[in-house]
Amino acid sequence: MSNSSTATAHPAPSTNGLEGVVAATTALSHVFGEEGKLVYRGYDIHELAGKASFEEVAYLLWVGHLPTQQELDEFNHKLGQNRSLPDGVITALRAMPHETPPMDALRTGVSMLGSTMPGTFDEDPDLDEAIALAARFPAILAAFFRLRQGKEPIKGRADLNTAQNYLYQLFGKEPDERHWQPLETYLVLLADHGLNASTFTARVIASTGSDLVSSVTGAVGALKGPLHGGAPSKVLDMLNEIGTVDNVDAWLTAALDRGDRLMGFGHRVYKAEDPRAEILRGMAERASDPDFFALSKKTEERALALLNERKPGRRLYTNVEFYSAAVLAAVGLPGDMFTPTFAVSRSVGWSAHVLEQRANNRLIRPASEFVGEQGKKFVPIDER
Ligand code: ACO
């Protein structure tokens, strides 16, 4: 039974979801939602995709300019020296049930780097720490991927780039160009994206004075959710369930009738097509099986038409996740490795944001609109 309260009925907070709220200053990247444009440190994403290597983009985000050849050689050398995992991380990955979602294995593995690499990560993150952390994401995932199949992890190779090395550590053989090149472009496209939910998480944790590993571990957890980075395997599930082009309309109509969200469509900021979706569509057409691409294309066309009919004025377009599914499947990855592979790329953006936050830090501590009760009196348990 409730006792006295001075609360009054109150509307839901107007800042629900922090939509449109400016909560940080950044020079790293920006999403121009109305125009469907994405910029990394002054470069439109179309300038970089398919031209810059993932390592050049990581250097750009972390350091602030594109590297010279000498800077890139030194940077690649450092990345190559940071690909091996401490024994403690491998032991922990080995102990995990094989059914563990790879995103959970990654979150735990990243967190463990903090305790198994003493002296590497302190309270004052810098570029060397960002390299030491981000360069180990592929190794953690590849080790877990192999262990769950009863295979032993493979050591990384300093002579391979990030995309090649990731595929090498996953599958145990040097990858074909037709696999590592689309993966490299995918990694470039996903490296940073303004103040998205996981980046905000990383910046909030960094703003408390906590360390880089804690900030990035929190970000991995935020990326996992289907409203953020968890959608692409669900896109694959959706396409597999639809099965044939003849079934597209019936399947989408039934899903929308149930009130389901169509995975791979809609975005908090883009009110035009996500430029990454446009680039990934072209890549999917070149890289994936023609029947699968035809099914994806038909599903996209009908989904856009139905969303426009059912949600007029909401401006729902294809987002990055829709064609990520086709591209990553063509590269040879199973669905449950899609979001973790997104994290391999975004680890660069997260750590760049942590460094930027700490360069000009102020504790991020927003206010809330209080809609609870006040003035209640404690009643002993035997009198309730
Ligand atoms: N399918 C059906 N309806 C949708 C979808 C969708 N994919 N996305 C938005 N809507 C509808 C909502 O139901 C809502 O309708 P209503 O106003 O009639 O209630 C309206 O469009 C606005 O939706 P919001 O939830 O207010 O939009 P929000 O900005 O919060 O959502 C989000 C953005 C979470 C990405 C949403 O579009 C969504 O759930 N998409 C599907 C999941 C997905 O693709 N996630 C990946 C996002 S990309 C990334 O993070 C890397």
Side-chain angles (χ1 to χ4, degrees):
M1 205 206 294
S2 102
N3 47 24
S4 73
S5 158
T6 57
T8 49
H10 209 293
S14 52
T15 53
N16 210 352
L18 296 180
E19 190 161 352
V21 173
V22 174
T25 304
T26 182
L28 292 167
S29 70
H30 191 66
V31 180
F32 294 84
E34 287 294 327
E35 298 150 62
K37 192 167 124 176
L38 170 62
V39 172
Y40 291 174
R41 289 225 190 248
Y43 295 90
D44 188 289
I45 197 66
H46 289 281
E47 277 299 306
L48 300 170
K51 299 177 197 160
S53 66
F54 179 57
E55 291 74 20
E56 284 177 289
V57 167
Y59 189 97
L60 173 70
L61 289 169
W62 278 332
V63 181
H65 60 87
L66 284 171
T68 62
Q69 188 61 56
Q70 193 191 336
E71 287 168 334
L72 185 61
D73 291 345
E74 284 166 18
F75 182 64
N76 281 334
H77 180 69
K78 262 195 188 167
L79 286 171
Q81 286 177 322
N82 277 285
R83 293 215 164 111
S84 61
L85 293 179
D87 290 344
V89 173
I90 306 252
T91 305
L93 295 172
R94 206 183 285 284
M96 285 177 196
H98 290 179
E99 317 69 58
T100 305
M103 230 12 214
D104 290 355
L106 177 67
R107 190 193 56 230
T108 304
V110 169
S111 176
M112 282 199 73
L113 292 175
S115 56
T116 52
M117 294 177 65
T120 308
F121 303 103
D122 58 25
E123 260 83 67
D124 200 10
D126 58 14
L127 176 61
D128 283 343
E129 289 196 18
I131 293 173
L133 185 59
R136 288 184 170 82
F137 269 57
I140 296 171
L141 287 167
F144 179 69
F145 180 77
R146 294 182 69 81
L147 287 166
R148 76 176 181 180
Q149 298 170 71
K151 296 179 183 162
E152 278 306 297
I154 293 177
K155 279 202 186 335
R157 273 180 35 191
D159 61 317
L160 300 178
N161 68 28
T162 306
Q164 291 169 323
N165 191 66
Y166 182 36
L167 294 175
Y168 170 71
Q169 285 194 283
L170 284 165
F171 301 118
K173 56 181 173 51
E174 267 192 43
D176 275 11
E177 202 168 326
R178 72 190 166 90
H179 289 141
W180 72 258
Q181 277 205 331
L183 178 62
E184 165 136 75
T185 304
Y186 170 85
L187 295 177
V188 166
L189 290 174
L190 278 286
D192 202 31
H193 205 239
L195 200 60
N196 58 85
S198 55
T199 299
F200 183 53
T201 304
R203 285 189 83 126
V204 169
I205 298 173
S207 83
T208 69
S210 186
D211 59 290
L212 179 67
V213 173
S214 300
S215 305
V216 169
T217 303
V220 173
L223 185 70
K224 186 179 162 188
L227 301 188
H228 188 11
S233 63
K234 297 192 188 311
V235 171
L236 190 63
D237 295 343
M238 170 175 81
L239 291 169
N240 285 336
E241 269 181 48
I242 294 173
T244 62
V245 279
D246 300 340
N247 192 29
V248 168
D249 244 64
W251 195 97
L252 293 175
T253 303
L256 289 170
D257 286 348
R258 285 193 304 271
D260 290 356
R261 290 189 173 214
L262 302 180
M263 291 291 135
F265 299 92
H267 197 274
R268 174 60 64 82
V269 185
Y270 287 118
K271 298 304 165 207
E273 186 173 70
D274 181 334
R276 303 166 302 171
E278 180 199 335
I279 297 168
L280 286 161
R281 183 187 296 112
M283 288 163 63
E285 184 164 20
R286 290 188 294 277
S288 51
D289 164 73
D291 289 343
F292 189 73
F293 180 74
L295 177 66
S296 305
K297 193 83 190 14
K298 171 87 177 177
T299 302
E300 181 191 27
E301 278 164 17
R302 292 306 302 145
L304 291 175
L306 288 167
L307 286 170
N308 191 35
E309 258 170 61
R310 305 265 183 130
K311 303 277 174 186
R314 302 289 193 283
R315 298 201 282 168
L316 300 171
Y317 294 92
T318 315
N319 68 41
V320 67
E321 307 283 34
F322 189 75
Y323 282 106
S324 288
V327 168
L328 294 178
V331 160
L333 295 171
D336 68 356
M337 293 296 284
F338 291 178
T339 304
T341 303
F342 183 166
V344 167
S345 169
R346 190 55 61 82
S347 64
V348 168
W350 291 328
S351 46
H353 276 270
V354 168
L355 300 186
E356 189 183 54
Q357 176 69 33
R358 292 293 278 275
N360 189 15
N361 192 45
R362 184 142 199 264
L363 174 70
I364 299 174
R365 202 301 187 190
S368 49
E369 190 171 8
F370 183 59
V371 295
E373 297 174 324
Q374 293 189 73
K376 288 186 159 185
K377 298 284 177 241
F378 180 75
V379 178
I381 195 160
D382 53 351
E383 293 175 29
R384 277 176 228 158

